Amino acid sequence: MCVGCGLCVYQCPSGALEMGWNEYGFLTPNLAGECNSQGECLTVCPFNPHPEKKISTENEISQNFLTDELNHHPKIGKYKGIYAGYSDDYRLSSSSGGLATYISAELLEQGIVDHVISIKESPNREMHYEYAVSSNKDAVISSSKTRYYPVTLAKMLRDLHPLEGRVAIVGVACFIKAVRLAQYRDPELKKKIPFLIGIICGGLKSKFFTEYLARKAGVIENIQQPQYRIKNLQGSAGDYSFGCLDSQTNSNKTIRMKTVGDMWGTGLFKANACDFCDDVTTELADISLGDAWIKPYHLDGRGTNLIITRSALSDKLIQQGIQQKRLNLEPLTIERLLFSQKGSFNHRHTGLSYRVKLAGKNNCLIPPKRFVREKVSFDFKIVQLLRMKIRRKSLDVWKNYPDALLFDKKMNFSLKLLKGATTFYHYKKAALNKLKIK
Ligand SMILES: Cc1cc2nc3c(=O)[nH]c(=O)nc-3n(C[C@H](O)[C@H](O)[C@H](O)COP(=O)(O)OP(=O)(O)OC[C@H]3O[C@@H](n4cnc5c(N)ncnc54)[C@H](O)[C@@H]3O)c2cc1C
């Protein structure tokens, strides 16, 4: 169960671990030398099946780091404020409302940190994107936009100590958790990294996802500069496109994601570990940023963020932005926030207990999880089972048949079955809710 964060490589005392591509298009650690460790690597793994009690889940870890006076909700963790909106300066050059870029730039401009570590284009063309350091506003802007591509923190963290000054790191929930675990073990890292920007994540994709989309767009070889969230400014926020450079014709090829089908609710090309992550809103970051997938925000193709502040400092940055009229935000109720990420909560909280049970039966080691006592109806179990099978099958099929037409053909029946099962589940739920209201 690995997401490729690379913290194990950073923690490895003998330097025997290094990151590399596995056969399914994920970055994972490989043993490349003599292992003389007593399991130190595992202590920073976000999916460690045997963590210390004091840091066993996000609930315990947050007690060590999010220590300001905060509210708490079992589904979203500790929080100070919840908002929806955008940054006037960065919205159009960002994937959503531009808050990740805004906060990164403010941290630098206000001298809260000297560097921001986030994702940029890699000089290695095969990698496409990688973690890199930005030390000024322009560099931060060049790291805007969502990249659904495997990345690792391994090298970046190893290079951190010689880097002068304090840093902020941008990451999805499992990477942020790994950084918190490293900070727990090494308090120096707590001083070195005073701010974490959390990106709300619905699941990490294999590099096969990029290959598939590129082929759907008509680029067969030598994919360059993949762009995952090309906005339709006249359409809705969900109506975005994938695009990449076709180096043979030196032209950009794009495809509307609407025409590709559901890539997120189906589990296609997803990492197995993501099915065992119950942190929907990146609970351990100082600020969590996602998309406001609710009315009226999602009707605006320019993009709108969902924002959860989890420290006095992050909330101050938000309040300053509102006062200076650089942020166009409004408060959001917790119910609206939950509704905005409904699908993710449903899959990762409600469905989790069934997946954990299944994994246990198959003798898989599972880290301690919250939400394992949720009741799962028979029809939702079927949906879970189909999603798990589709996740696995999509990776196997693409590994053997990296051709979009063939892939669609081979996945068609399973996807139809899932669609049927999901429709039944939703109708039944809606009918039961109606009866309850009456
Ligand atoms: C794999 C993945 C899945 C996501 N799933 C959801 C979801 O289910 N629901 C939801 O509401 N939002 C999800 N998001 C977040 C959403 O796509 C936006 O990134 C978020 O709303 C921030 O938008 P922004 O305009 O503020 O960011 P921008 O201003 O465009 O900045 C984006 C920031 O994210 C960093 N970044 C880009 N790719 C990655 C990556 N792979 N890992 C870590 N950091 C990265 C960039 O370097 C930059 O700092 C997901 C993001 C990723 C990477």
Side-chain angles (χ1 to χ4, degrees), residues 87 90 94 98-119 134-145 167-171 195-199 287 289 317-318 326:
S87 143
Y90 304 112
S94 288
L99 259 291
T101 307
Y102 176 87
I103 293 290
S104 302
E106 282 304 298
L107 290 171
L108 286 174
E109 301 247 298
Q110 296 191 25
I112 297 164
V113 300
D114 303 281
H115 316 279
V116 175
I117 296 180
S118 56
I119 313 295
S134 296
S135 310
N136 58 56
K137 198 164 123 181
D138 286 343
V140 153
I141 294 171
S142 76
S143 76
S144 297
K145 296 195 177 144
V167 305
I169 299 181
V170 183
F195 202 97
L196 293 175
I197 300 175
I199 299 292
I287 190 165
L289 304 168
L317 291 174
I318 291 295
R326 293 172 60 212

mmCIF file of all heavy atoms in Angstrom, residues 87 90 94 98-119 134-145 167-171 195-199 287 289 317-318 326:
data_model
loop_
_atom_site.group_PDB
_atom_site.id
_atom_site.type_symbol
_atom_site.label_atom_id
_atom_site.label_comp_id
_atom_site.label_asym_id
_atom_site.label_seq_id
_atom_site.Cartn_x
_atom_site.Cartn_y
_atom_site.Cartn_z
ATOM 1 N N SER A 87 -9.188 33.980 -5.714
ATOM 2 C CA SER A 87 -8.240 35.094 -5.675
ATOM 3 C C SER A 87 -8.351 35.841 -7.009
ATOM 4 O O SER A 87 -8.251 35.218 -8.081
ATOM 5 C CB SER A 87 -6.822 34.534 -5.506
ATOM 6 O OG SER A 87 -5.901 35.284 -6.248
ATOM 7 N N TYR A 90 -4.998 35.344 -9.099
ATOM 8 C CA TYR A 90 -4.473 34.067 -9.606
ATOM 9 C C TYR A 90 -5.533 33.117 -10.172
ATOM 10 O O TYR A 90 -5.200 32.033 -10.638
ATOM 11 C CB TYR A 90 -3.704 33.338 -8.489
ATOM 12 C CG TYR A 90 -2.595 34.181 -7.922
ATOM 13 C CD1 TYR A 90 -2.654 34.660 -6.621
ATOM 14 C CD2 TYR A 90 -1.495 34.528 -8.700
ATOM 15 C CE1 TYR A 90 -1.641 35.450 -6.102
ATOM 16 C CE2 TYR A 90 -0.475 35.318 -8.196
ATOM 17 C CZ TYR A 90 -0.560 35.786 -6.895
ATOM 18 O OH TYR A 90 0.436 36.572 -6.401
ATOM 19 N N SER A 94 -4.836 29.569 -12.561
ATOM 20 C CA SER A 94 -4.839 28.402 -11.662
ATOM 21 C C SER A 94 -5.899 27.393 -12.086
ATOM 22 O O SER A 94 -6.705 27.666 -12.971
ATOM 23 C CB SER A 94 -5.148 28.862 -10.230
ATOM 24 O OG SER A 94 -4.049 29.551 -9.689
ATOM 25 N N GLY A 98 -7.473 29.631 -7.438
ATOM 26 C CA GLY A 98 -6.145 30.248 -7.298
ATOM 27 C C GLY A 98 -5.677 30.476 -5.869
ATOM 28 O O GLY A 98 -4.659 31.129 -5.638
ATOM 29 N N LEU A 99 -6.386 29.878 -4.897
ATOM 30 C CA LEU A 99 -5.997 30.110 -3.499
ATOM 31 C C LEU A 99 -4.644 29.484 -3.141
ATOM 32 O O LEU A 99 -3.896 30.027 -2.324
ATOM 33 C CB LEU A 99 -7.084 29.573 -2.559
ATOM 34 C CG LEU A 99 -8.065 30.595 -1.953
ATOM 35 C CD1 LEU A 99 -7.365 31.503 -0.959
ATOM 36 C CD2 LEU A 99 -8.747 31.435 -3.005
ATOM 37 N N ALA A 100 -4.317 28.340 -3.750
ATOM 38 C CA ALA A 100 -3.032 27.694 -3.430
ATOM 39 C C ALA A 100 -1.886 28.614 -3.835
ATOM 40 O O ALA A 100 -0.909 28.791 -3.096
ATOM 41 C CB ALA A 100 -2.921 26.340 -4.134
ATOM 42 N N THR A 101 -2.019 29.228 -5.001
ATOM 43 C CA THR A 101 -0.975 30.143 -5.463
ATOM 44 C C THR A 101 -0.972 31.406 -4.592
ATOM 45 O O THR A 101 0.091 31.909 -4.214
ATOM 46 C CB THR A 101 -1.201 30.498 -6.952
ATOM 47 O OG1 THR A 101 -1.320 29.271 -7.674
ATOM 48 C CG2 THR A 101 -0.047 31.304 -7.520
ATOM 49 N N TYR A 102 -2.158 31.905 -4.251
ATOM 50 C CA TYR A 102 -2.268 33.110 -3.426
ATOM 51 C C TYR A 102 -1.575 32.890 -2.070
ATOM 52 O O TYR A 102 -0.745 33.703 -1.654
ATOM 53 C CB TYR A 102 -3.748 33.469 -3.212
ATOM 54 C CG TYR A 102 -3.933 34.637 -2.285
ATOM 55 C CD1 TYR A 102 -3.910 35.949 -2.760
ATOM 56 C CD2 TYR A 102 -4.107 34.454 -0.906
ATOM 57 C CE1 TYR A 102 -4.052 37.028 -1.896
ATOM 58 C CE2 TYR A 102 -4.250 35.515 -0.039
ATOM 59 C CZ TYR A 102 -4.219 36.805 -0.545
ATOM 60 O OH TYR A 102 -4.349 37.876 0.312
ATOM 61 N N ILE A 103 -1.915 31.794 -1.399
ATOM 62 C CA ILE A 103 -1.334 31.533 -0.059
ATOM 63 C C ILE A 103 0.175 31.341 -0.176
ATOM 64 O O ILE A 103 0.949 31.875 0.632
ATOM 65 C CB ILE A 103 -2.016 30.302 0.598
ATOM 66 C CG1 ILE A 103 -3.485 30.608 0.907
ATOM 67 C CG2 ILE A 103 -1.284 29.854 1.859
ATOM 68 C CD1 ILE A 103 -3.740 31.619 2.033
ATOM 69 N N SER A 104 0.615 30.609 -1.195
ATOM 70 C CA SER A 104 2.067 30.393 -1.379
ATOM 71 C C SER A 104 2.772 31.740 -1.546
ATOM 72 O O SER A 104 3.812 31.998 -0.922
ATOM 73 C CB SER A 104 2.332 29.542 -2.627
ATOM 74 O OG SER A 104 1.680 28.319 -2.529
ATOM 75 N N ALA A 105 2.215 32.611 -2.388
ATOM 76 C CA ALA A 105 2.838 33.914 -2.635
ATOM 77 C C ALA A 105 2.839 34.775 -1.367
ATOM 78 O O ALA A 105 3.838 35.430 -1.051
ATOM 79 C CB ALA A 105 2.093 34.629 -3.766
ATOM 80 N N GLU A 106 1.726 34.747 -0.621
ATOM 81 C CA GLU A 106 1.649 35.537 0.616
ATOM 82 C C GLU A 106 2.676 35.056 1.650
ATOM 83 O O GLU A 106 3.293 35.864 2.347
ATOM 84 C CB GLU A 106 0.242 35.449 1.232
ATOM 85 C CG GLU A 106 -0.776 36.312 0.547
ATOM 86 C CD GLU A 106 -0.396 37.791 0.468
ATOM 87 O OE1 GLU A 106 -0.248 38.424 1.524
ATOM 88 O OE2 GLU A 106 -0.248 38.303 -0.655
ATOM 89 N N LEU A 107 2.836 33.759 1.752
ATOM 90 C CA LEU A 107 3.803 33.210 2.724
ATOM 91 C C LEU A 107 5.203 33.743 2.425
ATOM 92 O O LEU A 107 5.972 34.093 3.337
ATOM 93 C CB LEU A 107 3.809 31.676 2.667
ATOM 94 C CG LEU A 107 2.559 30.968 3.212
ATOM 95 C CD1 LEU A 107 2.611 29.473 2.899
ATOM 96 C CD2 LEU A 107 2.430 31.162 4.719
ATOM 97 N N LEU A 108 5.520 33.832 1.129
ATOM 98 C CA LEU A 108 6.837 34.345 0.731
ATOM 99 C C LEU A 108 6.916 35.855 0.943
ATOM 100 O O LEU A 108 7.859 36.361 1.553
ATOM 101 C CB LEU A 108 7.103 34.033 -0.743
ATOM 102 C CG LEU A 108 7.431 32.586 -1.107
ATOM 103 C CD1 LEU A 108 7.521 32.434 -2.623
ATOM 104 C CD2 LEU A 108 8.740 32.142 -0.464
ATOM 105 N N GLU A 109 5.912 36.567 0.460
ATOM 106 C CA GLU A 109 5.946 38.044 0.505
ATOM 107 C C GLU A 109 5.953 38.570 1.939
ATOM 108 O O GLU A 109 6.566 39.581 2.235
ATOM 109 C CB GLU A 109 4.742 38.613 -0.246
ATOM 110 C CG GLU A 109 4.712 38.170 -1.701
ATOM 111 C CD GLU A 109 4.925 39.301 -2.679
ATOM 112 O OE1 GLU A 109 4.094 40.199 -2.681
ATOM 113 O OE2 GLU A 109 5.918 39.243 -3.430
ATOM 114 N N GLN A 110 5.246 37.859 2.821
ATOM 115 C CA GLN A 110 5.181 38.310 4.218
ATOM 116 C C GLN A 110 6.338 37.754 5.052
ATOM 117 O O GLN A 110 6.391 37.956 6.265
ATOM 118 C CB GLN A 110 3.838 37.922 4.845
ATOM 119 C CG GLN A 110 2.652 38.600 4.183
ATOM 120 C CD GLN A 110 1.357 38.429 4.987
ATOM 121 O OE1 GLN A 110 1.368 38.225 6.194
ATOM 122 N NE2 GLN A 110 0.230 38.539 4.304
ATOM 123 N N GLY A 111 7.251 37.028 4.414
ATOM 124 C CA GLY A 111 8.445 36.515 5.108
ATOM 125 C C GLY A 111 8.136 35.410 6.107
ATOM 126 O O GLY A 111 8.941 35.117 6.991
ATOM 127 N N ILE A 112 6.962 34.773 5.954
ATOM 128 C CA ILE A 112 6.625 33.667 6.874
ATOM 129 C C ILE A 112 7.487 32.449 6.532
ATOM 130 O O ILE A 112 7.914 31.700 7.400
ATOM 131 C CB ILE A 112 5.106 33.345 6.786
ATOM 132 C CG1 ILE A 112 4.313 34.576 7.244
ATOM 133 C CG2 ILE A 112 4.757 32.125 7.614
ATOM 134 C CD1 ILE A 112 2.841 34.571 6.862
ATOM 135 N N VAL A 113 7.750 32.277 5.258
ATOM 136 C CA VAL A 113 8.726 31.262 4.818
ATOM 137 C C VAL A 113 9.631 31.881 3.747
ATOM 138 O O VAL A 113 9.323 32.941 3.196
ATOM 139 C CB VAL A 113 8.049 29.983 4.234
ATOM 140 C CG1 VAL A 113 7.151 29.300 5.253
ATOM 141 C CG2 VAL A 113 7.267 30.304 2.969
ATOM 142 N N ASP A 114 10.755 31.191 3.490
ATOM 143 C CA ASP A 114 11.686 31.674 2.463
ATOM 144 C C ASP A 114 11.517 30.924 1.147
ATOM 145 O O ASP A 114 11.974 31.371 0.098
ATOM 146 C CB ASP A 114 13.123 31.501 2.967
ATOM 147 C CG ASP A 114 13.313 32.219 4.288
ATOM 148 O OD1 ASP A 114 13.484 33.436 4.270
ATOM 149 O OD2 ASP A 114 13.222 31.547 5.354
ATOM 150 N N HIS A 115 10.905 29.735 1.243
ATOM 151 C CA HIS A 115 10.732 28.907 0.039
ATOM 152 C C HIS A 115 9.402 28.154 0.115
ATOM 153 O O HIS A 115 8.948 27.832 1.220
ATOM 154 C CB HIS A 115 11.837 27.859 -0.080
ATOM 155 C CG HIS A 115 13.204 28.378 0.216
ATOM 156 N ND1 HIS A 115 13.956 29.067 -0.703
ATOM 157 C CD2 HIS A 115 13.939 28.325 1.351
ATOM 158 C CE1 HIS A 115 15.116 29.406 -0.156
ATOM 159 N NE2 HIS A 115 15.123 28.977 1.087
ATOM 160 N N VAL A 116 8.853 27.871 -1.048
ATOM 161 C CA VAL A 116 7.661 27.013 -1.111
ATOM 162 C C VAL A 116 8.021 25.802 -1.973
ATOM 163 O O VAL A 116 8.580 25.958 -3.069
ATOM 164 C CB VAL A 116 6.454 27.757 -1.730
ATOM 165 C CG1 VAL A 116 5.268 26.817 -1.912
ATOM 166 C CG2 VAL A 116 6.052 28.946 -0.860
ATOM 167 N N ILE A 117 7.708 24.625 -1.459
ATOM 168 C CA ILE A 117 7.986 23.398 -2.222
ATOM 169 C C ILE A 117 6.659 22.893 -2.796
ATOM 170 O O ILE A 117 5.736 22.541 -2.060
ATOM 171 C CB ILE A 117 8.645 22.339 -1.317
ATOM 172 C CG1 ILE A 117 10.008 22.863 -0.857
ATOM 173 C CG2 ILE A 117 8.791 21.019 -2.042
ATOM 174 C CD1 ILE A 117 10.779 21.927 0.030
ATOM 175 N N SER A 118 6.583 22.925 -4.116
ATOM 176 C CA SER A 118 5.337 22.499 -4.777
ATOM 177 C C SER A 118 5.702 21.858 -6.116
ATOM 178 O O SER A 118 6.876 21.579 -6.380
ATOM 179 C CB SER A 118 4.408 23.705 -4.944
ATOM 180 O OG SER A 118 5.065 24.723 -5.658
ATOM 181 N N ILE A 119 4.701 21.659 -6.955
ATOM 182 C CA ILE A 119 4.942 20.891 -8.193
ATOM 183 C C ILE A 119 5.212 21.816 -9.385
ATOM 184 O O ILE A 119 4.447 22.740 -9.638
ATOM 185 C CB ILE A 119 3.709 20.018 -8.530
ATOM 186 C CG1 ILE A 119 3.208 19.259 -7.308
ATOM 187 C CG2 ILE A 119 3.996 19.083 -9.690
ATOM 188 C CD1 ILE A 119 4.142 18.242 -6.745
ATOM 189 N N SER A 134 10.374 27.010 -4.917
ATOM 190 C CA SER A 134 10.131 28.364 -5.435
ATOM 191 C C SER A 134 10.500 29.339 -4.327
ATOM 192 O O SER A 134 10.059 29.171 -3.187
ATOM 193 C CB SER A 134 8.653 28.568 -5.773
ATOM 194 O OG SER A 134 8.264 27.714 -6.801
ATOM 195 N N SER A 135 11.255 30.360 -4.671
ATOM 196 C CA SER A 135 11.665 31.307 -3.629
ATOM 197 C C SER A 135 11.180 32.723 -3.914
ATOM 198 O O SER A 135 11.555 33.660 -3.207
ATOM 199 C CB SER A 135 13.191 31.280 -3.471
ATOM 200 O OG SER A 135 13.625 29.950 -3.335
ATOM 201 N N ASN A 136 10.403 32.897 -4.973
ATOM 202 C CA ASN A 136 9.792 34.209 -5.208
ATOM 203 C C ASN A 136 8.434 34.020 -5.901
ATOM 204 O O ASN A 136 8.097 32.912 -6.335
ATOM 205 C CB ASN A 136 10.709 35.111 -6.048
ATOM 206 C CG ASN A 136 11.040 34.474 -7.384
ATOM 207 O OD1 ASN A 136 10.140 34.122 -8.148
ATOM 208 N ND2 ASN A 136 12.324 34.303 -7.662
ATOM 209 N N LYS A 137 7.710 35.137 -5.985
ATOM 210 C CA LYS A 137 6.328 35.067 -6.474
ATOM 211 C C LYS A 137 6.231 34.496 -7.899
ATOM 212 O O LYS A 137 5.368 33.664 -8.184
ATOM 213 C CB LYS A 137 5.751 36.486 -6.437
ATOM 214 C CG LYS A 137 4.269 36.540 -6.484
ATOM 215 C CD LYS A 137 3.789 37.901 -6.046
ATOM 216 C CE LYS A 137 2.946 38.553 -7.094
ATOM 217 N NZ LYS A 137 2.475 39.877 -6.717
ATOM 218 N N ASP A 138 7.136 34.925 -8.781
ATOM 219 C CA ASP A 138 7.054 34.447 -10.167
ATOM 220 C C ASP A 138 7.233 32.938 -10.248
ATOM 221 O O ASP A 138 6.547 32.246 -11.017
ATOM 222 C CB ASP A 138 8.119 35.123 -11.040
ATOM 223 C CG ASP A 138 7.736 36.571 -11.327
ATOM 224 O OD1 ASP A 138 6.533 36.897 -11.129
ATOM 225 O OD2 ASP A 138 8.625 37.371 -11.694
ATOM 226 N N ALA A 139 8.173 32.451 -9.424
ATOM 227 C CA ALA A 139 8.412 31.001 -9.421
ATOM 228 C C ALA A 139 7.182 30.270 -8.897
ATOM 229 O O ALA A 139 6.817 29.197 -9.398
ATOM 230 C CB ALA A 139 9.636 30.681 -8.571
ATOM 231 N N VAL A 140 6.536 30.860 -7.908
ATOM 232 C CA VAL A 140 5.325 30.246 -7.352
ATOM 233 C C VAL A 140 4.227 30.178 -8.420
ATOM 234 O O VAL A 140 3.536 29.161 -8.559
ATOM 235 C CB VAL A 140 4.850 31.042 -6.103
ATOM 236 C CG1 VAL A 140 3.361 30.896 -5.888
ATOM 237 C CG2 VAL A 140 5.583 30.550 -4.860
ATOM 238 N N ILE A 141 4.102 31.243 -9.191
ATOM 239 C CA ILE A 141 3.059 31.251 -10.233
ATOM 240 C C ILE A 141 3.317 30.135 -11.255
ATOM 241 O O ILE A 141 2.389 29.485 -11.733
ATOM 242 C CB ILE A 141 2.977 32.635 -10.921
ATOM 243 C CG1 ILE A 141 2.503 33.676 -9.898
ATOM 244 C CG2 ILE A 141 2.049 32.612 -12.132
ATOM 245 C CD1 ILE A 141 2.585 35.113 -10.366
ATOM 246 N N SER A 142 4.600 29.883 -11.532
ATOM 247 C CA SER A 142 4.901 28.825 -12.508
ATOM 248 C C SER A 142 4.575 27.437 -11.951
ATOM 249 O O SER A 142 4.621 26.451 -12.685
ATOM 250 C CB SER A 142 6.367 28.905 -12.949
ATOM 251 O OG SER A 142 7.186 28.394 -11.926
ATOM 252 N N SER A 143 4.283 27.355 -10.646
ATOM 253 C CA SER A 143 3.930 26.035 -10.080
ATOM 254 C C SER A 143 2.421 25.900 -9.870
ATOM 255 O O SER A 143 1.965 24.951 -9.237
ATOM 256 C CB SER A 143 4.662 25.812 -8.755
ATOM 257 O OG SER A 143 4.058 26.565 -7.731
ATOM 258 N N SER A 144 1.649 26.844 -10.399
ATOM 259 C CA SER A 144 0.177 26.736 -10.270
ATOM 260 C C SER A 144 -0.330 25.542 -11.072
ATOM 261 O O SER A 144 0.376 25.003 -11.920
ATOM 262 C CB SER A 144 -0.495 27.989 -10.838
ATOM 263 O OG SER A 144 -0.135 29.120 -10.109
ATOM 264 N N LYS A 145 -1.549 25.209 -10.849
ATOM 265 C CA LYS A 145 -2.322 24.193 -11.599
ATOM 266 C C LYS A 145 -2.155 22.768 -11.047
ATOM 267 O O LYS A 145 -1.079 22.383 -10.596
ATOM 268 C CB LYS A 145 -2.010 24.209 -13.099
ATOM 269 C CG LYS A 145 -2.434 25.511 -13.730
ATOM 270 C CD LYS A 145 -2.467 25.412 -15.224
ATOM 271 C CE LYS A 145 -2.961 26.718 -15.787
ATOM 272 N NZ LYS A 145 -2.337 27.109 -17.007
ATOM 273 N N VAL A 167 10.553 26.679 5.110
ATOM 274 C CA VAL A 167 9.832 26.317 3.886
ATOM 275 C C VAL A 167 8.375 25.951 4.169
ATOM 276 O O VAL A 167 8.041 25.519 5.274
ATOM 277 C CB VAL A 167 10.485 25.120 3.140
ATOM 278 C CG1 VAL A 167 11.933 25.364 2.823
ATOM 279 C CG2 VAL A 167 10.340 23.836 3.924
ATOM 280 N N ALA A 168 7.541 26.147 3.172
ATOM 281 C CA ALA A 168 6.170 25.630 3.190
ATOM 282 C C ALA A 168 6.112 24.515 2.154
ATOM 283 O O ALA A 168 6.842 24.564 1.158
ATOM 284 C CB ALA A 168 5.183 26.730 2.823
ATOM 285 N N ILE A 169 5.287 23.514 2.405
ATOM 286 C CA ILE A 169 5.135 22.424 1.428
ATOM 287 C C ILE A 169 3.664 22.317 1.025
ATOM 288 O O ILE A 169 2.773 22.408 1.866
ATOM 289 C CB ILE A 169 5.634 21.070 1.999
ATOM 290 C CG1 ILE A 169 7.133 21.161 2.342
ATOM 291 C CG2 ILE A 169 5.373 19.927 1.029
ATOM 292 C CD1 ILE A 169 7.741 19.872 2.889
ATOM 293 N N VAL A 170 3.455 22.131 -0.276
ATOM 294 C CA VAL A 170 2.102 21.903 -0.800
ATOM 295 C C VAL A 170 1.959 20.399 -1.030
ATOM 296 O O VAL A 170 2.848 19.782 -1.627
ATOM 297 C CB VAL A 170 1.901 22.633 -2.153
ATOM 298 C CG1 VAL A 170 0.471 22.464 -2.653
ATOM 299 C CG2 VAL A 170 2.250 24.114 -2.043
ATOM 300 N N GLY A 171 0.857 19.810 -0.580
ATOM 301 C CA GLY A 171 0.705 18.367 -0.820
ATOM 302 C C GLY A 171 -0.699 17.871 -0.592
ATOM 303 O O GLY A 171 -1.518 18.537 0.043
ATOM 304 N N PHE A 195 4.646 25.705 7.751
ATOM 305 C CA PHE A 195 3.332 25.839 7.123
ATOM 306 C C PHE A 195 3.136 24.762 6.059
ATOM 307 O O PHE A 195 3.999 24.559 5.208
ATOM 308 C CB PHE A 195 3.206 27.228 6.472
ATOM 309 C CG PHE A 195 1.789 27.675 6.273
ATOM 310 C CD1 PHE A 195 1.173 28.524 7.187
ATOM 311 C CD2 PHE A 195 1.056 27.251 5.170
ATOM 312 C CE1 PHE A 195 -0.155 28.944 7.008
ATOM 313 C CE2 PHE A 195 -0.270 27.658 4.984
ATOM 314 C CZ PHE A 195 -0.870 28.517 5.909
ATOM 315 N N LEU A 196 1.978 24.100 6.120
ATOM 316 C CA LEU A 196 1.654 23.084 5.112
ATOM 317 C C LEU A 196 0.350 23.463 4.403
ATOM 318 O O LEU A 196 -0.659 23.733 5.055
ATOM 319 C CB LEU A 196 1.500 21.705 5.776
ATOM 320 C CG LEU A 196 2.779 21.102 6.376
ATOM 321 C CD1 LEU A 196 2.473 19.801 7.111
ATOM 322 C CD2 LEU A 196 3.807 20.829 5.279
ATOM 323 N N ILE A 197 0.416 23.487 3.084
ATOM 324 C CA ILE A 197 -0.778 23.798 2.274
ATOM 325 C C ILE A 197 -1.347 22.478 1.763
ATOM 326 O O ILE A 197 -0.686 21.755 1.013
ATOM 327 C CB ILE A 197 -0.406 24.715 1.082
ATOM 328 C CG1 ILE A 197 0.189 26.040 1.599
ATOM 329 C CG2 ILE A 197 -1.626 24.966 0.191
ATOM 330 C CD1 ILE A 197 0.687 26.967 0.507
ATOM 331 N N GLY A 198 -2.554 22.166 2.196
ATOM 332 C CA GLY A 198 -3.153 20.876 1.826
ATOM 333 C C GLY A 198 -4.027 20.988 0.591
ATOM 334 O O GLY A 198 -4.847 21.896 0.466
ATOM 335 N N ILE A 199 -3.829 20.057 -0.322
ATOM 336 C CA ILE A 199 -4.666 19.993 -1.526
ATOM 337 C C ILE A 199 -5.648 18.840 -1.320
ATOM 338 O O ILE A 199 -5.228 17.684 -1.169
ATOM 339 C CB ILE A 199 -3.782 19.741 -2.783
ATOM 340 C CG1 ILE A 199 -2.778 20.884 -2.992
ATOM 341 C CG2 ILE A 199 -4.637 19.504 -4.029
ATOM 342 C CD1 ILE A 199 -3.373 22.223 -3.391
ATOM 343 N N ILE A 287 -3.861 24.778 6.037
ATOM 344 C CA ILE A 287 -5.023 25.221 5.259
ATOM 345 C C ILE A 287 -5.315 24.143 4.214
ATOM 346 O O ILE A 287 -4.381 23.552 3.660
ATOM 347 C CB ILE A 287 -4.757 26.608 4.603
ATOM 348 C CG1 ILE A 287 -6.031 27.186 3.992
ATOM 349 C CG2 ILE A 287 -3.670 26.533 3.523
ATOM 350 C CD1 ILE A 287 -5.915 28.677 3.661
ATOM 351 N N LEU A 289 -7.354 23.154 0.632
ATOM 352 C CA LEU A 289 -7.942 23.820 -0.537
ATOM 353 C C LEU A 289 -8.459 22.790 -1.534
ATOM 354 O O LEU A 289 -7.756 21.834 -1.868
ATOM 355 C CB LEU A 289 -6.884 24.690 -1.223
ATOM 356 C CG LEU A 289 -6.228 25.730 -0.295
ATOM 357 C CD1 LEU A 289 -4.998 26.329 -0.957
ATOM 358 C CD2 LEU A 289 -7.219 26.812 0.081
ATOM 359 N N LEU A 317 -4.326 35.046 7.278
ATOM 360 C CA LEU A 317 -3.984 35.301 5.862
ATOM 361 C C LEU A 317 -5.255 35.461 5.027
ATOM 362 O O LEU A 317 -5.337 36.323 4.142
ATOM 363 C CB LEU A 317 -3.130 34.159 5.296
ATOM 364 C CG LEU A 317 -1.707 34.032 5.843
ATOM 365 C CD1 LEU A 317 -1.032 32.783 5.302
ATOM 366 C CD2 LEU A 317 -0.874 35.269 5.496
ATOM 367 N N ILE A 318 -6.239 34.634 5.322
ATOM 368 C CA ILE A 318 -7.516 34.705 4.588
ATOM 369 C C ILE A 318 -8.248 36.012 4.918
ATOM 370 O O ILE A 318 -8.714 36.721 4.014
ATOM 371 C CB ILE A 318 -8.392 33.469 4.939
ATOM 372 C CG1 ILE A 318 -7.772 32.186 4.363
ATOM 373 C CG2 ILE A 318 -9.828 33.645 4.455
ATOM 374 C CD1 ILE A 318 -7.707 32.111 2.868
ATOM 375 N N ARG A 326 -8.441 41.402 -2.027
ATOM 376 C CA ARG A 326 -7.687 40.592 -2.994
ATOM 377 C C ARG A 326 -8.284 39.194 -3.073
ATOM 378 O O ARG A 326 -8.005 38.440 -3.988
ATOM 379 C CB ARG A 326 -6.224 40.551 -2.588
ATOM 380 C CG ARG A 326 -5.587 41.948 -2.714
ATOM 381 C CD ARG A 326 -4.213 41.978 -2.137
ATOM 382 N NE ARG A 326 -3.358 41.039 -2.814
ATOM 383 C CZ ARG A 326 -2.359 40.401 -2.208
ATOM 384 N NH1 ARG A 326 -2.115 40.602 -0.928
ATOM 385 N NH2 ARG A 326 -1.593 39.576 -2.880
#
